[in-house]
Amino acid sequence: QVQLAESGGGSVQGGGSLRLSCTASVNMDSRSCMAWFRQAPGSEREGVASINRDGRTAYADSVKGRFTISQDNAKKTLYLEMNSLKPEDSAMYYCAARPWVFESCRLLWDWYYYRGQGTQVAVSS
């Protein structure tokens, strides 16, 4: 069982930056995928970004050019660097993981086996 713990959320003004972290309880295997998702009140959950162990990344169109997903395997930590934040980025942000993937990572919530409890991000205008 893999446990994921997010941190780094908070309140920020529009145009500001935040860096989210997600620490796993174990080292993920060499074929795992990890991703960030977000959900605002009254909205559907949205895939934000994914990364595989080779560093291949994918982003939702809404965050391309502003958000960067990265990982530090030695620290068992996934990051999401968020710049030029907008009020519409306000949401609960979750990380997710799936081990032993033999296909491209997907930005689908149900595709992942393990998920964290989330960290709240609030962006004011």
Side-chain angles (χ1 to χ4, degrees), residues 26-104:
V26 299
N27 282 307
M28 299 300 295
D29 63 83
S30 63
R31 298 199 63 87
S32 60
C33 285
M34 297 193 75
W36 287 98
F37 291 83
R38 66 185 182 185
Q39 187 169 24
S43 299
E44 293 189 357
R45 190 176 289 111
E46 175 187 20
V48 176
S50 66
I51 188 168
N52 69 5
R53 293 291 275 194
D54 293 331
R56 180 173 296 179
T57 59
Y59 295 91
D61 288 342
S62 58
V63 306
K64 280 181 181 176
R66 300 188 298 122
F67 290 12
T68 303
I69 188 171
S70 63
Q71 60 194 352
D72 185 330
N73 296 334
K75 294 183 178 179
K76 299 181 289 185
T77 301
L78 178 73
Y79 301 101
L80 185 68
E81 186 76 36
M82 306 187 294
N83 298 314
S84 302
L85 282 162
K86 306 174 182 179
E88 51 264 43
D89 294 318
S90 298
M92 184 72 80
Y93 282 72
Y94 303 88
C95 67
R98 174 167 170 156
W100 294 114
V101 177
F102 293 89
E103 57 184 289
S104 298

